[in-house]
Amino acid sequence: MQKKKLLLDIGLNAYEAAAYLSLLKLGVSEASSVYRDAEVPYGKIYTVLESLAGKGFVEVQTSRPKKFRAVDPELALDAFFEKKKIELEREMALLKGSVEEAKQALETVSPQKRMNEVFWTTAITESEIKKFATSVYREVKKSVNVIPPALGMPVVANLLPEIIKAVDRGVKIRLLISPRFLALVPVFSMQGEETLGKLKKGLDIRLSQNFDSYFGVVDDSVVILFQPHPKDKDRVLSVVKIWDAGLAKNLREEFEILWQAGEIVDLKVELEKKK
């Protein structure tokens, strides 16, 4: 049963797996012997054996009646793997071409914007919050201005690849953080020189001692609100993403006030301190 399951796992159907196992056991056989041993319906046995031959598991002697022989499992499985690999690579190449074509075609679709239109989504679990954060940096076109809670440190560390891609696109990122967030510096120090150069170019950091709330503004149109737990402000209860240009404008103005009062962090200097 385990052997049959393994054959099913690689892509053979139940009749094919049973027929191949029977041929391995019986040796060279006619279809009538295989169908009895494998319990494959007689009306389907020739179709099953020809399918196995096409997949490289069975060899066929075109005598009358036909005889069948199982190919050595190591040879058959290696050849099957290579064939599948080539097929998947071809499919992936075709899919990539279709995806790129779809991107270009769909970029021409202009949404019908409505005045004061508001839309929001919420993330509660840790995995949902990480998906939220990833989507922010994948979708941003111009700027990210954010005051992250201290609990967000691990998330920021995991987001580094997406942050770097955003910087490569010309996105400007400003983080207004508490001193506790400087614990992230060692994470930056583990990056290569090229990556550090990109971060220094596209990432600005300032320190502030006290925050009444934690939020972010993305591209002057999207607001990210971090809801702290009522009993533990270091815990994020939920994150809300709001598409609201009016609210984004107001919070961007609030962010600018806090930003101007913040203490400039020189990433290069902080990295030197940690050495």
Side-chain angles (χ1 to χ4, degrees):
M1 186 63 70
Q2 177 65 17
K3 294 174 182 177
K4 185 176 180 179
K5 181 181 182 302
L6 290 170
L7 291 172
L8 295 175
D9 288 344
I10 69 168
L12 298 189
N13 64 39
Y15 288 156
E16 289 170 341
Y20 181 61
L21 289 171
S22 289
L23 273 173
L24 284 173
K25 178 175 64 176
L26 297 172
V28 175
S29 303
E30 296 177 9
S32 56
S33 299
V34 179
Y35 101 86
R36 282 193 295 268
D37 185 77
E39 299 183 350
V40 175
Y42 188 75
K44 294 184 177 182
I45 190 61
Y46 280 99
T47 300
V48 169
L49 290 169
E50 292 294 342
S51 176
L52 284 169
K55 293 176 178 178
F57 286 88
V58 166
E59 292 177 333
V60 183
Q61 177 181 301
T62 56
S63 54
R64 296 175 67 87
K66 288 182 178 180
K67 292 185 177 180
F68 302 89
R69 171 185 173 276
V71 175
D72 179 87
E74 185 172 355
L75 296 176
L77 290 166
D78 282 347
F80 183 73
F81 174 81
E82 290 301 323
K83 183 179 179 181
K84 283 291 184 182
K85 180 180 176 182
I86 292 170
E87 290 175 356
L88 288 171
E89 287 174 348
R90 187 181 299 117
E91 288 177 10
M92 291 302 294
L94 290 171
L95 178 60
K96 182 176 176 60
S98 298
V99 166
E100 293 303 321
E101 187 177 353
K103 283 181 183 178
Q104 294 177 14
L106 296 177
E107 281 178 356
T108 63
V109 179
S110 299
Q112 297 180 357
K113 294 185 178 180
R114 299 172 184 172
M115 293 298 293
N116 301 320
E117 186 175 47
V118 176
F119 179 81
W120 55 268
T121 55
T122 304
I124 297 176
T125 66
E126 183 178 349
S127 62
E128 287 177 345
I129 290 172
K130 286 181 178 179
K131 287 180 183 178
F132 250 44
T134 300
S135 71
V136 165
Y137 285 96
R138 285 181 178 173
E139 296 172 6
V140 61
K141 299 185 185 307
K142 297 184 302 180
S143 64
V144 177
N145 301 282
V146 61
I147 304 173
L151 189 69
M153 285 190 283
V155 176
V156 172
N158 291 332
L159 279 175
L160 268 180
E162 295 300 332
I163 290 174
I164 292 164
K165 289 177 186 177
V167 169
D168 280 340
R169 297 195 305 270
V171 173
K172 297 298 182 183
I173 302 169
R174 295 193 296 178
L175 294 180
L176 186 57
I177 62 174
S178 68
R180 290 176 60 189
F181 240 93
L182 289 176
L184 268 179
V185 171
V187 176
F188 294 135
S189 66
M190 290 186 287
Q191 309 306 307
E193 287 299 323
E194 183 180 355
T195 299
L196 280 175
K198 291 177 181 179
L199 289 173
K200 291 172 188 176
K201 181 180 178 182
L203 176 64
D204 287 331
I205 304 174
R206 292 193 180 184
L207 288 179
S208 184
Q209 298 296 326
N210 298 303
F211 299 109
D212 293 326
S213 60
Y214 302 100
F215 63 88
V217 180
V218 182
D219 284 341
D220 297 327
S221 59
V222 178
V223 171
I224 309 296
L225 297 180
F226 302 93
Q227 178 60 49
H229 194 282
K231 293 186 177 180
D232 184 356
K233 289 192 175 182
D234 280 345
R235 288 176 56 196
V236 175
L237 185 64
S238 65
V239 179
V240 183
K241 188 194 298 187
I242 309 172
W243 284 259
D244 185 337
L247 179 60
K249 181 177 182 295
N250 291 336
L251 287 181
R252 175 63 183 268
E253 292 171 355
E254 177 67 19
F255 181 90
E256 290 297 337
I257 294 171
L258 295 170
W259 181 259
Q260 294 304 321
E263 177 187 344
I264 296 174
V265 175
D266 188 321
L267 190 56
K268 183 177 180 180
V269 172
E270 291 300 323
L271 288 171
E272 289 296 328
K273 290 180 182 177
K274 299 297 179 179
K275 287 184 178 179

